Each structure stands twice: as structure tokens, then as C-alpha cells.
Amino acid sequence: MISYDFEYFKPSSIDKAISLFQSLDQQGKEPIYFSGGTEIITLGRVNKIKTGAVIDIKEIPECLVLKRESNKLTFGAAQTLNRIRESQYFRFLNKAIGEIADHTARNKITLGGNMCANIIYRETILPLLLTDSQVIIAGPGGLKQLPLNEVFDQTLRLQRGELLIQIMIEEKESELPFLCIKKRRQWDVGYPLMTIAALKKDQQIRFAFSGLCSYPFRNEKMDGSLNNQALPKEARIEEAMRQIPAPVLKDVHGSEDYRRFVFKNTLLDVLDTIGGTEIE
Amino acid sequence: MNKSEITLNVNSEERSVYVRHSDTLLYVLREELGLTGAKPGCLNGDCGACTVDVDGQAMKSCLMLAIEAVGKKITTVEGLQNIPLKTAFIKKFAFQCGYCTPGFLMNSNSLINNYPQADDIQIKDCLESNICRCTGYKEIEEAVKSVLADGSTGNGNY
């Protein structure tokens, strides 16, 4: 049970949602856009999220788009993870989705909700960062289309009142070879330790990580090290590990040393699988 | 505390109820509508004890606001009448203490309806959504598989 009250709104258009946000914000209600709402409800229950109003975006047609057209894949931010997975449009994203929460929860969790969540894992970001996807963002000034890599830095950098509407990917990017490995400390359904995602393009491997640090990320320096064919694989990994851009997490799911151990060995598996040739 | 009147379609009945906008569906089903079949467990979307069916999809009612369910068709375990799955649970001893059973029934019913040809991977993927602390997983899986093998649908009264 959520101990505090909030108002609930369900606008039917982008314009209505944006102006509603502005007016609720002016009234001091600290509004939040509500897509699947799972995090707002669970964190709200323990008073870690407080709001005076939620704006449900599930009736905005643009947020529900799910299509493959003109060599582009478009995913509405309010589409549930299960619907996206069942569309079978993007195998890499499907693999990441299949490891998030559980099947029933994925009937509620949405792509936009996962991308904009507070939870540190946010694994849907990984394939989207690696495939140079674009995001459509609505704000008081209208719509804008931007590369995800430009607007994602630890979190999706939205201005106050802006709303993520859609995510677009070139279809050919979705067909590239990939790997997405999620590691848990226990069982198949425990909370995650970390996820390593990799995509091979033009003989280079791109990497993105979740659960290693307190936010998901892609790092060009680490990519450079891991693709340095002049070094054996172990040395590439050692070099990449020296460039991790933030402190490695230590929490109930794993100590820093354990995470580093799992990270190193999983990277080795990735390089062995899609890493190409090693120069001895 | 501000309350609004909403109408929910639960087990094929239109039920009017006053809710806070921040009330979860689980709370309203149990405390306002007297439908105590959906069980409060973790209240965090982890255990699946509160699973109901919303528009043909399994849904953890602790992860949904009651007001989100307006205009949708909700089925709780009380609305699952005369289905082979219940008989299969009895036949296969698919419960011990029984607390998780309504959630497992609702989730399994959705699995049978949505994936009548489900293979072992799909069955595992769906059943992983629920936790049984008596660890009756094997028997539950056998009950679900026996219904799938018979080709019976789950349905119920919705």
C-alpha cells in the first residue's frame, strides 16, 4: 500500500501530457510520467519516490507504436517488454528483455520505464546503446530525435517535463551478431550481478555493461582495449579493467572482488565466442 | 484523503468502488471488494502470490494501480470456475500450504490460454514468475504439463 495520495491522469495525446506536466509542476505537485509504473508503485510503497501526480502515458498512440517499416524498427516507450519480445523484431533486445524481472512482471514493465528507471540495471539500454539507436523525445518545444548515445550518460538526460516517446533502430543494426550474458549469484531468477552485452560490427566488438557500476554504460576506451588485437585476450581484459569509469559495485549480491572476478571471466567467454582472432 | 468512484469489471461483474488513486489493485480487490483470493506476499512484484488476470494477461496486482484497471477485464482466482487446471493441481498434489496456489493458478491459466503449445522453455519462463516456499515446483509443473498435454484450455468464466 502506498501511504500517500497522488492524482492520476491519463492523457490521450503527447501535447496534453506535456501541458499537463507543466501545469501540475507549476502547482508544485512534482508530477511523474507513469508508463508501466512498477518502479513508482514499489518505491512509492517504501517512500523512496514521492509525487503529487502521475501522468499515465499508456493511452498516447505514439507511445504504443511497435513496427518494422522502411528498414527501421520503432518501439513506443509504453510498449510492454513482453509485447516487444513477442514481436521478434530485435533479437538482441529480446535476449536482454528475457532476463529482466520475470514473465508476469514483463506484462507490466515497459521499454521506456526500464530505460528511465532508478534501478541500476536497466538492461534494455545495452543493446540500444550498441546499435546506435535514436530516441524521440517530446517537450514543450515539440519533438526532437537524438542519438541515444548523446542523451544517455548514466541516465537518460531528459529536461524537466520532457517525455521519451519512441526508440528507433536501423533494421540492419538489429541483424548484427551479438552476445548478451547475464550473471546472477544464485539460480536463474535471482537478482542480477551483472550483464555484459557485445555486438560485432565491421570486425570490431562493442561492449556495454550493466551491474558492474551503479549505472549501465558503454565506454570507448574499454572498447579500444578489448579490440586491441596486438595483445592476448587476458591482457586486453586487464587493460580494459583499468579503465572502468566508476567504482565497481559492492553490495549484497556481490563484493567488488567477486564482481571483478566474474567480469574478467565473462569477458573472456565473450571474446572467445565472438572475439575473432588472437595474435599470439 | 481523496477518493474517487471507479467501476471495475471483476469476474464478469461491474463493481463500483471508491479508491485512492494510489491504491494498488491488490489492495482494492482484497480490502474493498472482499476478494481475498489474490494473496499479499512480497508486495514488491517478486513472489507472484497476488497474480490475477487482466485482459487475458497474468498481472501481479501489487504492481498495478486499481485505477489503471478501469475498462479492463479482471479475473481473480474466485472467477476461475470449472477448469481442468484446478483438478490437475489436486491430482498432482501441486500445493502444500496453499498460500501461493491462487497466484500459480492464475499464472498457469494464462500460460495455458496464451501458449497452448508451450514447450519446456516457455513453461519454465512463465512459472519462474511465482515463488512457492514449500518448493512444490515439480508438482506444479507436472499439473500444468498434464493440462497442456490434454489440450484443454484454461479459460474459467471470463
Side-chain angles (χ1 to χ4, degrees), chain B residues 74-97:
Chain B
I74 305 157
T75 305
T76 67
V77 74
E78 290 90 343
L80 282 192
Q81 301 290 330
N82 305 318
I83 57 165
L85 184 63
K86 280 184 172 178
T87 314
F89 264 59
I90 295 166
K91 248 183 172 169
K92 300 285 180 183
F93 300 101
F95 46 84
Q96 291 178 49
C97 84

mmCIF file with all atom_site columns, all heavy atoms in Angstrom, chain B residues 74-97:
data_model
loop_
_atom_site.group_PDB
_atom_site.id
_atom_site.type_symbol
_atom_site.label_atom_id
_atom_site.label_alt_id
_atom_site.label_comp_id
_atom_site.label_asym_id
_atom_site.label_entity_id
_atom_site.label_seq_id
_atom_site.pdbx_PDB_ins_code
_atom_site.Cartn_x
_atom_site.Cartn_y
_atom_site.Cartn_z
_atom_site.occupancy
_atom_site.B_iso_or_equiv
_atom_site.pdbx_formal_charge
_atom_site.auth_seq_id
_atom_site.auth_comp_id
_atom_site.auth_asym_id
_atom_site.auth_atom_id
_atom_site.pdbx_PDB_model_num
ATOM 1   N N   . ILE B 1 74 ? -10.957 -7.987  -15.414 1.00 0.00 ? 74 ILE B N   1
ATOM 2   C CA  . ILE B 1 74 ? -10.113 -8.588  -14.375 1.00 0.00 ? 74 ILE B CA  1
ATOM 3   C C   . ILE B 1 74 ? -10.713 -9.934  -13.973 1.00 0.00 ? 74 ILE B C   1
ATOM 4   O O   . ILE B 1 74 ? -11.917 -10.036 -13.752 1.00 0.00 ? 74 ILE B O   1
ATOM 5   C CB  . ILE B 1 74 ? -10.072 -7.673  -13.121 1.00 0.00 ? 74 ILE B CB  1
ATOM 6   C CG1 . ILE B 1 74 ? -9.618  -6.263  -13.511 1.00 0.00 ? 74 ILE B CG1 1
ATOM 7   C CG2 . ILE B 1 74 ? -9.175  -8.254  -12.042 1.00 0.00 ? 74 ILE B CG2 1
ATOM 8   C CD1 . ILE B 1 74 ? -10.066 -5.201  -12.514 1.00 0.00 ? 74 ILE B CD1 1
ATOM 9   N N   . THR B 1 75 ? -9.866  -10.933 -13.882 1.00 0.00 ? 75 THR B N   1
ATOM 10  C CA  . THR B 1 75 ? -10.316 -12.218 -13.332 1.00 0.00 ? 75 THR B CA  1
ATOM 11  C C   . THR B 1 75 ? -9.422  -12.572 -12.159 1.00 0.00 ? 75 THR B C   1
ATOM 12  O O   . THR B 1 75 ? -8.194  -12.513 -12.268 1.00 0.00 ? 75 THR B O   1
ATOM 13  C CB  . THR B 1 75 ? -10.250 -13.336 -14.384 1.00 0.00 ? 75 THR B CB  1
ATOM 14  O OG1 . THR B 1 75 ? -10.993 -12.937 -15.532 1.00 0.00 ? 75 THR B OG1 1
ATOM 15  C CG2 . THR B 1 75 ? -10.840 -14.627 -13.833 1.00 0.00 ? 75 THR B CG2 1
ATOM 16  N N   . THR B 1 76 ? -10.034 -12.896 -11.052 1.00 0.00 ? 76 THR B N   1
ATOM 17  C CA  . THR B 1 76 ? -9.286  -13.359 -9.882  1.00 0.00 ? 76 THR B CA  1
ATOM 18  C C   . THR B 1 76 ? -9.496  -14.867 -9.757  1.00 0.00 ? 76 THR B C   1
ATOM 19  O O   . THR B 1 76 ? -10.302 -15.450 -10.481 1.00 0.00 ? 76 THR B O   1
ATOM 20  C CB  . THR B 1 76 ? -9.772  -12.666 -8.595  1.00 0.00 ? 76 THR B CB  1
ATOM 21  O OG1 . THR B 1 76 ? -11.108 -13.110 -8.335  1.00 0.00 ? 76 THR B OG1 1
ATOM 22  C CG2 . THR B 1 76 ? -9.754  -11.151 -8.751  1.00 0.00 ? 76 THR B CG2 1
ATOM 23  N N   . VAL B 1 77 ? -8.824  -15.468 -8.802  1.00 0.00 ? 77 VAL B N   1
ATOM 24  C CA  . VAL B 1 77 ? -8.955  -16.922 -8.665  1.00 0.00 ? 77 VAL B CA  1
ATOM 25  C C   . VAL B 1 77 ? -10.406 -17.305 -8.352  1.00 0.00 ? 77 VAL B C   1
ATOM 26  O O   . VAL B 1 77 ? -10.862 -18.399 -8.704  1.00 0.00 ? 77 VAL B O   1
ATOM 27  C CB  . VAL B 1 77 ? -7.959  -17.454 -7.592  1.00 0.00 ? 77 VAL B CB  1
ATOM 28  C CG1 . VAL B 1 77 ? -8.406  -17.099 -6.188  1.00 0.00 ? 77 VAL B CG1 1
ATOM 29  C CG2 . VAL B 1 77 ? -7.714  -18.940 -7.758  1.00 0.00 ? 77 VAL B CG2 1
ATOM 30  N N   . GLU B 1 78 ? -11.149 -16.386 -7.727  1.00 0.00 ? 78 GLU B N   1
ATOM 31  C CA  . GLU B 1 78 ? -12.570 -16.672 -7.449  1.00 0.00 ? 78 GLU B CA  1
ATOM 32  C C   . GLU B 1 78 ? -13.362 -16.825 -8.744  1.00 0.00 ? 78 GLU B C   1
ATOM 33  O O   . GLU B 1 78 ? -14.424 -17.459 -8.759  1.00 0.00 ? 78 GLU B O   1
ATOM 34  C CB  . GLU B 1 78 ? -13.188 -15.544 -6.608  1.00 0.00 ? 78 GLU B CB  1
ATOM 35  C CG  . GLU B 1 78 ? -12.689 -15.462 -5.159  1.00 0.00 ? 78 GLU B CG  1
ATOM 36  C CD  . GLU B 1 78 ? -11.473 -14.563 -4.983  1.00 0.00 ? 78 GLU B CD  1
ATOM 37  O OE1 . GLU B 1 78 ? -10.804 -14.258 -5.990  1.00 0.00 ? 78 GLU B OE1 1
ATOM 38  O OE2 . GLU B 1 78 ? -11.201 -14.168 -3.825  1.00 0.00 ? 78 GLU B OE2 1
ATOM 39  N N   . GLY B 1 79 ? -12.858 -16.238 -9.811  1.00 0.00 ? 79 GLY B N   1
ATOM 40  C CA  . GLY B 1 79 ? -13.573 -16.309 -11.097 1.00 0.00 ? 79 GLY B CA  1
ATOM 41  C C   . GLY B 1 79 ? -13.153 -17.488 -11.958 1.00 0.00 ? 79 GLY B C   1
ATOM 42  O O   . GLY B 1 79 ? -13.710 -17.693 -13.041 1.00 0.00 ? 79 GLY B O   1
ATOM 43  N N   . LEU B 1 80 ? -12.207 -18.244 -11.511 1.00 0.00 ? 80 LEU B N   1
ATOM 44  C CA  . LEU B 1 80 ? -11.787 -19.422 -12.285 1.00 0.00 ? 80 LEU B CA  1
ATOM 45  C C   . LEU B 1 80 ? -12.666 -20.600 -11.878 1.00 0.00 ? 80 LEU B C   1
ATOM 46  O O   . LEU B 1 80 ? -12.406 -21.265 -10.880 1.00 0.00 ? 80 LEU B O   1
ATOM 47  C CB  . LEU B 1 80 ? -10.321 -19.781 -11.984 1.00 0.00 ? 80 LEU B CB  1
ATOM 48  C CG  . LEU B 1 80 ? -9.195  -19.001 -12.619 1.00 0.00 ? 80 LEU B CG  1
ATOM 49  C CD1 . LEU B 1 80 ? -7.879  -19.728 -12.395 1.00 0.00 ? 80 LEU B CD1 1
ATOM 50  C CD2 . LEU B 1 80 ? -9.416  -18.795 -14.106 1.00 0.00 ? 80 LEU B CD2 1
ATOM 51  N N   . GLN B 1 81 ? -13.691 -20.817 -12.656 1.00 0.00 ? 81 GLN B N   1
ATOM 52  C CA  . GLN B 1 81 ? -14.638 -21.874 -12.300 1.00 0.00 ? 81 GLN B CA  1
ATOM 53  C C   . GLN B 1 81 ? -14.509 -23.046 -13.265 1.00 0.00 ? 81 GLN B C   1
ATOM 54  O O   . GLN B 1 81 ? -14.366 -22.852 -14.471 1.00 0.00 ? 81 GLN B O   1
ATOM 55  C CB  . GLN B 1 81 ? -16.082 -21.336 -12.363 1.00 0.00 ? 81 GLN B CB  1
ATOM 56  C CG  . GLN B 1 81 ? -16.357 -20.155 -11.442 1.00 0.00 ? 81 GLN B CG  1
ATOM 57  C CD  . GLN B 1 81 ? -16.351 -20.538 -9.974  1.00 0.00 ? 81 GLN B CD  1
ATOM 58  O OE1 . GLN B 1 81 ? -16.676 -21.659 -9.617  1.00 0.00 ? 81 GLN B OE1 1
ATOM 59  N NE2 . GLN B 1 81 ? -15.965 -19.603 -9.117  1.00 0.00 ? 81 GLN B NE2 1
ATOM 60  N N   . ASN B 1 82 ? -14.594 -24.232 -12.739 1.00 0.00 ? 82 ASN B N   1
ATOM 61  C CA  . ASN B 1 82 ? -14.662 -25.451 -13.563 1.00 0.00 ? 82 ASN B CA  1
ATOM 62  C C   . ASN B 1 82 ? -13.575 -25.533 -14.630 1.00 0.00 ? 82 ASN B C   1
ATOM 63  O O   . ASN B 1 82 ? -13.869 -25.687 -15.807 1.00 0.00 ? 82 ASN B O   1
ATOM 64  C CB  . ASN B 1 82 ? -16.043 -25.543 -14.245 1.00 0.00 ? 82 ASN B CB  1
ATOM 65  C CG  . ASN B 1 82 ? -17.164 -25.463 -13.234 1.00 0.00 ? 82 ASN B CG  1
ATOM 66  O OD1 . ASN B 1 82 ? -17.083 -26.070 -12.170 1.00 0.00 ? 82 ASN B OD1 1
ATOM 67  N ND2 . ASN B 1 82 ? -18.182 -24.677 -13.545 1.00 0.00 ? 82 ASN B ND2 1
ATOM 68  N N   . ILE B 1 83 ? -12.370 -25.421 -14.214 1.00 0.00 ? 83 ILE B N   1
ATOM 69  C CA  . ILE B 1 83 ? -11.293 -25.553 -15.195 1.00 0.00 ? 83 ILE B CA  1
ATOM 70  C C   . ILE B 1 83 ? -10.450 -26.797 -14.880 1.00 0.00 ? 83 ILE B C   1
ATOM 71  O O   . ILE B 1 83 ? -10.258 -27.145 -13.718 1.00 0.00 ? 83 ILE B O   1
ATOM 72  C CB  . ILE B 1 83 ? -10.393 -24.302 -15.253 1.00 0.00 ? 83 ILE B CB  1
ATOM 73  C CG1 . ILE B 1 83 ? -9.787  -23.993 -13.877 1.00 0.00 ? 83 ILE B CG1 1
ATOM 74  C CG2 . ILE B 1 83 ? -11.138 -23.105 -15.798 1.00 0.00 ? 83 ILE B CG2 1
ATOM 75  C CD1 . ILE B 1 83 ? -8.636  -23.035 -13.940 1.00 0.00 ? 83 ILE B CD1 1
ATOM 76  N N   . PRO B 1 84 ? -9.970  -27.441 -15.932 1.00 0.00 ? 84 PRO B N   1
ATOM 77  C CA  . PRO B 1 84 ? -9.172  -28.661 -15.723 1.00 0.00 ? 84 PRO B CA  1
ATOM 78  C C   . PRO B 1 84 ? -7.921  -28.410 -14.876 1.00 0.00 ? 84 PRO B C   1
ATOM 79  O O   . PRO B 1 84 ? -7.450  -29.306 -14.190 1.00 0.00 ? 84 PRO B O   1
ATOM 80  C CB  . PRO B 1 84 ? -8.779  -29.072 -17.152 1.00 0.00 ? 84 PRO B CB  1
ATOM 81  C CG  . PRO B 1 84 ? -9.684  -28.333 -18.064 1.00 0.00 ? 84 PRO B CG  1
ATOM 82  C CD  . PRO B 1 84 ? -10.137 -27.114 -17.357 1.00 0.00 ? 84 PRO B CD  1
ATOM 83  N N   . LEU B 1 85 ? -7.414  -27.183 -14.915 1.00 0.00 ? 85 LEU B N   1
ATOM 84  C CA  . LEU B 1 85 ? -6.183  -26.883 -14.185 1.00 0.00 ? 85 LEU B CA  1
ATOM 85  C C   . LEU B 1 85 ? -6.350  -27.112 -12.680 1.00 0.00 ? 85 LEU B C   1
ATOM 86  O O   . LEU B 1 85 ? -5.456  -27.646 -12.018 1.00 0.00 ? 85 LEU B O   1
ATOM 87  C CB  . LEU B 1 85 ? -5.780  -25.418 -14.455 1.00 0.00 ? 85 LEU B CB  1
ATOM 88  C CG  . LEU B 1 85 ? -4.464  -24.958 -13.860 1.00 0.00 ? 85 LEU B CG  1
ATOM 89  C CD1 . LEU B 1 85 ? -3.282  -25.737 -14.430 1.00 0.00 ? 85 LEU B CD1 1
ATOM 90  C CD2 . LEU B 1 85 ? -4.255  -23.463 -14.125 1.00 0.00 ? 85 LEU B CD2 1
ATOM 91  N N   . LYS B 1 86 ? -7.504  -26.743 -12.154 1.00 0.00 ? 86 LYS B N   1
ATOM 92  C CA  . LYS B 1 86 ? -7.723  -26.934 -10.707 1.00 0.00 ? 86 LYS B CA  1
ATOM 93  C C   . LYS B 1 86 ? -7.699  -28.418 -10.361 1.00 0.00 ? 86 LYS B C   1
ATOM 94  O O   . LYS B 1 86 ? -7.094  -28.833 -9.385  1.00 0.00 ? 86 LYS B O   1
ATOM 95  C CB  . LYS B 1 86 ? -9.070  -26.333 -10.299 1.00 0.00 ? 86 LYS B CB  1
ATOM 96  C CG  . LYS B 1 86 ? -9.055  -24.835 -10.102 1.00 0.00 ? 86 LYS B CG  1
ATOM 97  C CD  . LYS B 1 86 ? -10.431 -24.415 -9.614  1.00 0.00 ? 86 LYS B CD  1
ATOM 98  C CE  . LYS B 1 86 ? -10.491 -22.985 -9.203  1.00 0.00 ? 86 LYS B CE  1
ATOM 99  N NZ  . LYS B 1 86 ? -11.849 -22.612 -8.792  1.00 0.00 ? 86 LYS B NZ  1
ATOM 100 N N   . THR B 1 87 ? -8.372  -29.208 -11.198 1.00 0.00 ? 87 THR B N   1
ATOM 101 C CA  . THR B 1 87 ? -8.389  -30.663 -10.981 1.00 0.00 ? 87 THR B CA  1
ATOM 102 C C   . THR B 1 87 ? -6.970  -31.217 -11.075 1.00 0.00 ? 87 THR B C   1
ATOM 103 O O   . THR B 1 87 ? -6.572  -32.066 -10.275 1.00 0.00 ? 87 THR B O   1
ATOM 104 C CB  . THR B 1 87 ? -9.283  -31.335 -12.054 1.00 0.00 ? 87 THR B CB  1
ATOM 105 O OG1 . THR B 1 87 ? -10.483 -30.584 -12.144 1.00 0.00 ? 87 THR B OG1 1
ATOM 106 C CG2 . THR B 1 87 ? -9.594  -32.773 -11.713 1.00 0.00 ? 87 THR B CG2 1
ATOM 107 N N   . ALA B 1 88 ? -6.217  -30.703 -12.033 1.00 0.00 ? 88 ALA B N   1
ATOM 108 C CA  . ALA B 1 88 ? -4.840  -31.179 -12.208 1.00 0.00 ? 88 ALA B CA  1
ATOM 109 C C   . ALA B 1 88 ? -3.994  -30.856 -10.982 1.00 0.00 ? 88 ALA B C   1
ATOM 110 O O   . ALA B 1 88 ? -3.156  -31.656 -10.562 1.00 0.00 ? 88 ALA B O   1
ATOM 111 C CB  . ALA B 1 88 ? -4.234  -30.554 -13.463 1.00 0.00 ? 88 ALA B CB  1
ATOM 112 N N   . PHE B 1 89 ? -4.188  -29.664 -10.403 1.00 0.00 ? 89 PHE B N   1
ATOM 113 C CA  . PHE B 1 89 ? -3.435  -29.311 -9.188  1.00 0.00 ? 89 PHE B CA  1
ATOM 114 C C   . PHE B 1 89 ? -3.741  -30.305 -8.056  1.00 0.00 ? 89 PHE B C   1
ATOM 115 O O   . PHE B 1 89 ? -2.856  -30.704 -7.308  1.00 0.00 ? 89 PHE B O   1
ATOM 116 C CB  . PHE B 1 89 ? -3.782  -27.875 -8.744  1.00 0.00 ? 89 PHE B CB  1
ATOM 117 C CG  . PHE B 1 89 ? -2.798  -26.841 -9.233  1.00 0.00 ? 89 PHE B CG  1
ATOM 118 C CD1 . PHE B 1 89 ? -2.564  -26.665 -10.586 1.00 0.00 ? 89 PHE B CD1 1
ATOM 119 C CD2 . PHE B 1 89 ? -2.096  -26.041 -8.339  1.00 0.00 ? 89 PHE B CD2 1
ATOM 120 C CE1 . PHE B 1 89 ? -1.649  -25.709 -11.044 1.00 0.00 ? 89 PHE B CE1 1
ATOM 121 C CE2 . PHE B 1 89 ? -1.177  -25.092 -8.781  1.00 0.00 ? 89 PHE B CE2 1
ATOM 122 C CZ  . PHE B 1 89 ? -0.953  -24.922 -10.138 1.00 0.00 ? 89 PHE B CZ  1
ATOM 123 N N   . ILE B 1 90 ? -5.023  -30.696 -7.962  1.00 0.00 ? 90 ILE B N   1
ATOM 124 C CA  . ILE B 1 90 ? -5.405  -31.656 -6.903  1.00 0.00 ? 90 ILE B CA  1
ATOM 125 C C   . ILE B 1 90 ? -4.785  -33.025 -7.214  1.00 0.00 ? 90 ILE B C   1
ATOM 126 O O   . ILE B 1 90 ? -4.155  -33.650 -6.357  1.00 0.00 ? 90 ILE B O   1
ATOM 127 C CB  . ILE B 1 90 ? -6.944  -31.762 -6.798  1.00 0.00 ? 90 ILE B CB  1
ATOM 128 C CG1 . ILE B 1 90 ? -7.521  -30.412 -6.342  1.00 0.00 ? 90 ILE B CG1 1
ATOM 129 C CG2 . ILE B 1 90 ? -7.355  -32.886 -5.850  1.00 0.00 ? 90 ILE B CG2 1
ATOM 130 C CD1 . ILE B 1 90 ? -9.023  -30.278 -6.528  1.00 0.00 ? 90 ILE B CD1 1
ATOM 131 N N   . LYS B 1 91 ? -4.937  -33.447 -8.449  1.00 0.00 ? 91 LYS B N   1
ATOM 132 C CA  . LYS B 1 91 ? -4.450  -34.776 -8.857  1.00 0.00 ? 91 LYS B CA  1
ATOM 133 C C   . LYS B 1 91 ? -2.943  -34.923 -8.660  1.00 0.00 ? 91 LYS B C   1
ATOM 134 O O   . LYS B 1 91 ? -2.457  -35.972 -8.277  1.00 0.00 ? 91 LYS B O   1
ATOM 135 C CB  . LYS B 1 91 ? -4.761  -34.963 -10.348 1.00 0.00 ? 91 LYS B CB  1
ATOM 136 C CG  . LYS B 1 91 ? -5.793  -36.017 -10.652 1.00 0.00 ? 91 LYS B CG  1
ATOM 137 C CD  . LYS B 1 91 ? -5.917  -36.102 -12.158 1.00 0.00 ? 91 LYS B CD  1
ATOM 138 C CE  . LYS B 1 91 ? -6.767  -37.252 -12.582 1.00 0.00 ? 91 LYS B CE  1
ATOM 139 N NZ  . LYS B 1 91 ? -7.083  -37.148 -14.005 1.00 0.00 ? 91 LYS B NZ  1
ATOM 140 N N   . LYS B 1 92 ? -2.227  -33.858 -8.959  1.00 0.00 ? 92 LYS B N   1
ATOM 141 C CA  . LYS B 1 92 ? -0.753  -33.930 -8.911  1.00 0.00 ? 92 LYS B CA  1
ATOM 142 C C   . LYS B 1 92 ? -0.190  -33.433 -7.572  1.00 0.00 ? 92 LYS B C   1
ATOM 143 O O   . LYS B 1 92 ? 1.012   -33.237 -7.453  1.00 0.00 ? 92 LYS B O   1
ATOM 144 C CB  . LYS B 1 92 ? -0.154  -33.083 -10.051 1.00 0.00 ? 92 LYS B CB  1
ATOM 145 C CG  . LYS B 1 92 ? -0.566  -33.514 -11.453 1.00 0.00 ? 92 LYS B CG  1
ATOM 146 C CD  . LYS B 1 92 ? 0.155   -34.782 -11.864 1.00 0.00 ? 92 LYS B CD  1
ATOM 147 C CE  . LYS B 1 92 ? -0.267  -35.207 -13.264 1.00 0.00 ? 92 LYS B CE  1
ATOM 148 N NZ  . LYS B 1 92 ? 0.360   -36.485 -13.656 1.00 0.00 ? 92 LYS B NZ  1
ATOM 149 N N   . PHE B 1 93 ? -1.050  -33.186 -6.611  1.00 0.00 ? 93 PHE B N   1
ATOM 150 C CA  . PHE B 1 93 ? -0.608  -32.668 -5.302  1.00 0.00 ? 93 PHE B CA  1
ATOM 151 C C   . PHE B 1 93 ? 0.245   -31.404 -5.479  1.00 0.00 ? 93 PHE B C   1
ATOM 152 O O   . PHE B 1 93 ? 1.333   -31.285 -4.914  1.00 0.00 ? 93 PHE B O   1
ATOM 153 C CB  . PHE B 1 93 ? 0.176   -33.733 -4.524  1.00 0.00 ? 93 PHE B CB  1
ATOM 154 C CG  . PHE B 1 93 ? -0.617  -34.972 -4.242  1.00 0.00 ? 93 PHE B CG  1
ATOM 155 C CD1 . PHE B 1 93 ? -0.449  -36.115 -5.000  1.00 0.00 ? 93 PHE B CD1 1
ATOM 156 C CD2 . PHE B 1 93 ? -1.563  -34.983 -3.210  1.00 0.00 ? 93 PHE B CD2 1
ATOM 157 C CE1 . PHE B 1 93 ? -1.210  -37.246 -4.754  1.00 0.00 ? 93 PHE B CE1 1
ATOM 158 C CE2 . PHE B 1 93 ? -2.315  -36.129 -2.961  1.00 0.00 ? 93 PHE B CE2 1
ATOM 159 C CZ  . PHE B 1 93 ? -2.137  -37.254 -3.744  1.00 0.00 ? 93 PHE B CZ  1
ATOM 160 N N   . ALA B 1 94 ? -0.251  -30.472 -6.281  1.00 0.00 ? 94 ALA B N   1
ATOM 161 C CA  . ALA B 1 94 ? 0.551   -29.313 -6.656  1.00 0.00 ? 94 ALA B CA  1
ATOM 162 C C   . ALA B 1 94 ? 0.452   -28.168 -5.643  1.00 0.00 ? 94 ALA B C   1
ATOM 163 O O   . ALA B 1 94 ? 0.515   -27.010 -6.011  1.00 0.00 ? 94 ALA B O   1
ATOM 164 C CB  . ALA B 1 94 ? 0.155   -28.843 -8.039  1.00 0.00 ? 94 ALA B CB  1
ATOM 165 N N   . PHE B 1 95 ? 0.219   -28.500 -4.396  1.00 0.00 ? 95 PHE B N   1
ATOM 166 C CA  . PHE B 1 95 ? 0.278   -27.460 -3.359  1.00 0.00 ? 95 PHE B CA  1
ATOM 167 C C   . PHE B 1 95 ? 0.528   -28.124 -2.019  1.00 0.00 ? 95 PHE B C   1
ATOM 168 O O   . PHE B 1 95 ? 0.252   -29.296 -1.825  1.00 0.00 ? 95 PHE B O   1
ATOM 169 C CB  . PHE B 1 95 ? -1.006  -26.629 -3.307  1.00 0.00 ? 95 PHE B CB  1
ATOM 170 C CG  . PHE B 1 95 ? -2.263  -27.413 -3.353  1.00 0.00 ? 95 PHE B CG  1
ATOM 171 C CD1 . PHE B 1 95 ? -2.795  -27.974 -2.199  1.00 0.00 ? 95 PHE B CD1 1
ATOM 172 C CD2 . PHE B 1 95 ? -2.916  -27.628 -4.559  1.00 0.00 ? 95 PHE B CD2 1
ATOM 173 C CE1 . PHE B 1 95 ? -3.957  -28.717 -2.246  1.00 0.00 ? 95 PHE B CE1 1
ATOM 174 C CE2 . PHE B 1 95 ? -4.075  -28.375 -4.613  1.00 0.00 ? 95 PHE B CE2 1
ATOM 175 C CZ  . PHE B 1 95 ? -4.603  -28.916 -3.456  1.00 0.00 ? 95 PHE B CZ  1
ATOM 176 N N   . GLN B 1 96 ? 1.094   -27.321 -1.127  1.00 0.00 ? 96 GLN B N   1
ATOM 177 C CA  . GLN B 1 96 ? 1.288   -27.825 0.238   1.00 0.00 ? 96 GLN B CA  1
ATOM 178 C C   . GLN B 1 96 ? 0.567   -26.875 1.191   1.00 0.00 ? 96 GLN B C   1
ATOM 179 O O   . GLN B 1 96 ? -0.576  -27.101 1.528   1.00 0.00 ? 96 GLN B O   1
ATOM 180 C CB  . GLN B 1 96 ? 2.782   -27.967 0.534   1.00 0.00 ? 96 GLN B CB  1
ATOM 181 C CG  . GLN B 1 96 ? 3.395   -29.100 -0.304  1.00 0.00 ? 96 GLN B CG  1
ATOM 182 C CD  . GLN B 1 96 ? 4.871   -29.258 -0.093  1.00 0.00 ? 96 GLN B CD  1
ATOM 183 O OE1 . GLN B 1 96 ? 5.346   -29.309 1.045   1.00 0.00 ? 96 GLN B OE1 1
ATOM 184 N NE2 . GLN B 1 96 ? 5.623   -29.346 -1.178  1.00 0.00 ? 96 GLN B NE2 1
ATOM 185 N N   . CYS B 1 97 ? 1.200   -25.758 1.552   1.00 0.00 ? 97 CYS B N   1
ATOM 186 C CA  . CYS B 1 97 ? 0.480   -24.846 2.461   1.00 0.00 ? 97 CYS B CA  1
ATOM 187 C C   . CYS B 1 97 ? -0.633  -24.103 1.728   1.00 0.00 ? 97 CYS B C   1
ATOM 188 O O   . CYS B 1 97 ? -1.594  -23.666 2.334   1.00 0.00 ? 97 CYS B O   1
ATOM 189 C CB  . CYS B 1 97 ? 1.436   -23.871 3.126   1.00 0.00 ? 97 CYS B CB  1
ATOM 190 S SG  . CYS B 1 97 ? 1.831   -22.404 2.150   1.00 0.00 ? 97 CYS B SG  1
#
